[in-house]
Amino acid sequence: MKEEKISEAVVHRLPKYYRYLNDLEQKGIERISSWKMSSDLDLNASQIRRDLNCFGGFGQQGYGYQVIKLKEEIKKILGLGKKYTAVILGAGNIGQALINYLGFEKEGYNIAALFDVNEKLIGKEFHGKKIFHMNDLGAYIAENPVDIGIIATPRAAAQQAANLLMQHNVKAIWNFAPVDVTVQKGVKLENVHLSDSLYVLCYRINNETETEL
Amino acid sequence: MKEEKISEAVVHRLPKYYRYLNDLEQKGIERISSWKMSSDLDLNASQIRRDLNCFGGFGQQGYGYQVIKLKEEIKKILGLGKKYTAVILGAGNIGQALINYLGFEKEGYNIAALFDVNEKLIGKEFHGKKIFHMNDLGAYIAENPVDIGIIATPRAAAQQAANLLMQHNVKAIWNFAPVDVTVQKGVKLENVHLSDSLYVLCYRINNETETEL
DNA sequence: TAGATTGTTAATCGATTAACAATC
DNA sequence: TAGATTGTTAATCGATTAACAATC
């Protein structure tokens, strides 16, 4: 791993490479060239080679890349394969959906518990995951280390939720609330702004002509 | 609206501006300068002025921008305020979660129906939205015009779902499946790759040092 | 070895930022 | 009018692409 700062653009392409390589592996394809990747992924071949070289020389001149080896390298870079424990703050629609989503689809991620302020929900269970009161988050984390805090609260409660997580030393936040929460230095943050994405789609519907492609 | 091609980067900042201006309006703030926006949004002031000027001269020298006016302009640009009818393909976890999410949180978007292939689900209802068989999509659309097709199927069925939507002339697709679906020229597409976002978060956990602010 | 394809340097392109004249 | 702040041009920065020498 080189010491250069990796750009956001590169980091965001890594999952795409990873998905693609998994597909290739599934199809039993053993080797792949940047040229073929380029046409499949609709990215420039130079860019692909450059991206991969940020992390090491995974290819072989005159041959290309070994699919499985490259996949494993990217897996390691992304930190997949490790186990992550997460808690969800907010046991409403999004919170509940995420339990299902992460439970069924992804291995490596364990949702340990949910937290809410709604008394009616506290003590209940969804798919075997208990709902605690938000006030008990500190006590819970003291007993059960948590890697990722997922914010699935309403808009207005999101920053508070983030603060609470940070107070209890959670170092990574996955935010689903439609706000840009502020985090301390050192805390990792990823936003999933569903409504923003929908707005962009509407923008395209209304503004983008058929000229492109 | 000028005739220049608006860059992706600009388009993706519009929802952020829109959210921010809504906040200001709520707080009763009437005017705003690019300088203040800059510090609140953590964007460069020149960039903000430039972004807004892609669409028109909404400001006033020596004064700044009128919050309400600017908000309304961006709303119009994004095509909000209009009504959109959507169908969801895939009535699993994500599909169900989206019904709740869009039903409660967003006005302007109407989920008309769900479609699935699972016989056990067909005929049932979620929050008053009926689940039809995927095969009946064409007949449904013939009767009820649909603006947006939401793909909430498993990975393997996503491209098929996209094809089905396009066959029946749906011009905008919001894709939640963890694949890059291919669409015809003229069809608008927005992806929400939840797993990609989670991978990026894991990348940050494992690779990014505390050097940055 | 000859052919293929990487890794990497150099060229290009586009987006961000700075600067300032226009003007409310 | 003087002060403030936009709209816009010019400068900078960074990311993408092209080109090619290195090498399997």
Side-chain angles (χ1 to χ4, degrees):
Chain A
M1 230 166 279
K2 292 182 191 172
E3 230 12 275
E4 295 287 312
K5 174 83 176 78
I6 311 294
S7 84
E8 278 294 291
V10 174
V11 172
H12 280 271
R13 280 192 293 270
L14 291 177
K16 195 169 177 165
Y17 295 138
Y18 182 67
R19 270 191 277 126
Y20 174 69
L21 291 163
N22 268 304
D23 274 2
L24 293 182
E25 189 188 7
Q26 213 108 60
K27 288 181 193 154
I29 295 166
E30 279 180 16
R31 60 180 270 203
I32 188 74
S33 70
S34 62
W35 187 86
K36 180 73 167 76
M37 287 181 85
S38 168
S39 86
D40 287 346
L41 292 174
D42 202 21
L43 294 172
N44 180 289
S46 279
Q47 185 172 59
I48 294 170
R49 294 200 298 278
R50 215 166 205 290
D51 282 358
L52 297 177
N53 262 81
C54 291
F55 304 98
F58 302 137
Q60 210 171 313
Q61 277 102 328
Y63 175 89
Y65 301 86
Q66 288 183 301
V67 169
I68 292 181
K69 186 186 162 218
L70 185 56
K71 192 208 73 173
E72 287 301 325
E73 291 288 358
I74 294 179
K75 188 171 177 177
K76 208 187 306 170
I77 293 161
L78 287 171
L80 312 176
K82 292 192 187 182
K83 299 280 174 200
Y84 298 92
T85 299
V87 291
I88 300 178
L89 271 55
N93 300 316
I94 298 178
Q96 291 177 37
L98 285 171
I99 286 193
N100 294 334
Y101 180 72
L102 289 169
F104 290 136
E105 302 218 23
K106 308 270 154 250
E107 0 65 78
Y109 301 98
N110 173 238
I111 305 277
L114 293 115
F115 295 84
D116 208 299
V117 290
N118 184 345
E119 295 291 350
K120 282 180 202 150
L121 291 172
I122 289 154
K124 284 194 179 172
E125 280 192 8
F126 284 123
H127 296 277
K129 310 299 177 187
K130 222 169 167 185
I131 305 177
F132 297 94
H133 195 283
M134 206 81 94
N135 293 337
D136 299 331
L137 182 69
Y140 181 90
I141 290 178
E143 297 287 312
N144 313 276
V146 162
D147 302 304
I148 299 172
I150 303 176
I151 299 179
T153 64
R155 184 181 173 61
Q159 184 60 57
Q160 232 177 333
N163 295 343
L164 191 62
L165 287 165
M166 291 187 289
Q167 260 169 47
H168 297 297
N169 225 31
V170 175
K171 290 295 186 207
I173 293 178
W174 202 22
N175 175 40
F176 282 79
V179 217
D180 289 311
V181 301
T182 306
V183 295
Q184 297 157 6
K185 207 172 117 173
V187 173
K188 322 300 185 196
L189 173 69
E190 259 293 298
N191 290 297
V192 178
H193 287 328
L194 290 186
S195 51
D196 286 17
S197 169
L198 188 55
Y199 291 167
V200 169
L201 185 62
C202 290
Y203 172 84
R204 292 198 216 289
I205 292 173
N206 290 285
N207 299 278
E208 285 178 4
T209 53
E210 262 78 309
T211 323
E212 61 241 296
L213 191 128
Chain B
M1 226 163 283
K2 293 184 190 170
E3 232 11 277
E4 295 287 312
K5 175 84 176 78
I6 311 295
S7 84
E8 278 293 291
V10 175
V11 173
H12 281 272
R13 279 192 293 270
L14 291 177
K16 195 168 176 165
Y17 296 138
Y18 182 66
R19 269 190 277 126
Y20 174 68
L21 290 163
N22 268 306
D23 273 1
L24 293 182
E25 190 189 8
Q26 214 108 61
K27 287 181 195 156
I29 295 166
E30 279 179 15
R31 59 178 275 201
I32 188 75
S33 69
S34 61
W35 187 86
K36 180 71 166 80
M37 288 180 83
S38 167
S39 86
D40 286 347
L41 293 173
D42 203 21
L43 294 171
N44 180 289
S46 279
Q47 184 172 61
I48 293 170
R49 294 201 298 278
R50 214 166 207 290
D51 282 358
L52 298 176
N53 263 79
C54 292
F55 304 98
F58 303 137
Q60 211 172 312
Q61 278 103 329
Y63 176 87
Y65 301 86
Q66 288 183 299
V67 170
I68 293 181
K69 188 188 161 216
L70 187 55
K71 192 208 72 174
E72 287 302 325
E73 290 289 357
I74 294 179
K75 188 173 178 176
K76 209 187 305 168
I77 293 162
L78 286 171
L80 312 177
K82 294 193 186 179
K83 298 279 173 200
Y84 299 91
T85 300
V87 292
I88 300 179
L89 272 56
N93 300 316
I94 297 178
Q96 292 177 36
L98 285 171
I99 287 193
N100 294 335
Y101 179 72
L102 289 169
F104 291 136
E105 301 221 22
K106 309 269 153 251
E107 1 66 78
Y109 301 97
N110 173 238
I111 304 280
L114 293 117
F115 295 84
D116 208 300
V117 291
N118 183 347
E119 295 290 351
K120 283 181 203 152
L121 291 172
I122 290 155
K124 284 195 179 170
E125 281 191 8
F126 284 122
H127 296 277
K129 310 298 178 185
K130 221 169 165 184
I131 305 177
F132 298 96
H133 195 282
M134 207 81 94
N135 293 339
D136 298 332
L137 183 70
Y140 181 90
I141 290 179
E143 299 285 314
N144 313 277
V146 163
D147 303 304
I148 299 171
I150 303 176
I151 299 179
T153 64
R155 185 182 171 63
Q159 185 60 55
Q160 232 177 335
N163 296 343
L164 191 63
L165 287 165
M166 290 188 289
Q167 259 169 50
H168 297 298
N169 224 33
V170 175
K171 290 295 186 206
I173 293 178
W174 202 23
N175 175 42
F176 282 78
V179 217
D180 289 311
V181 301
T182 306
V183 296
Q184 299 156 7
K185 208 172 116 175
V187 174
K188 321 298 185 199
L189 173 67
E190 259 291 300
N191 290 298
V192 178
H193 287 328
L194 290 187
S195 51
D196 286 17
S197 169
L198 187 55
Y199 291 169
V200 169
L201 185 62
C202 290
Y203 171 83
R204 291 198 216 290
I205 292 173
N206 289 286
N207 299 277
E208 285 179 3
T209 52
E210 260 80 308
T211 324
E212 59 239 296
L213 191 126

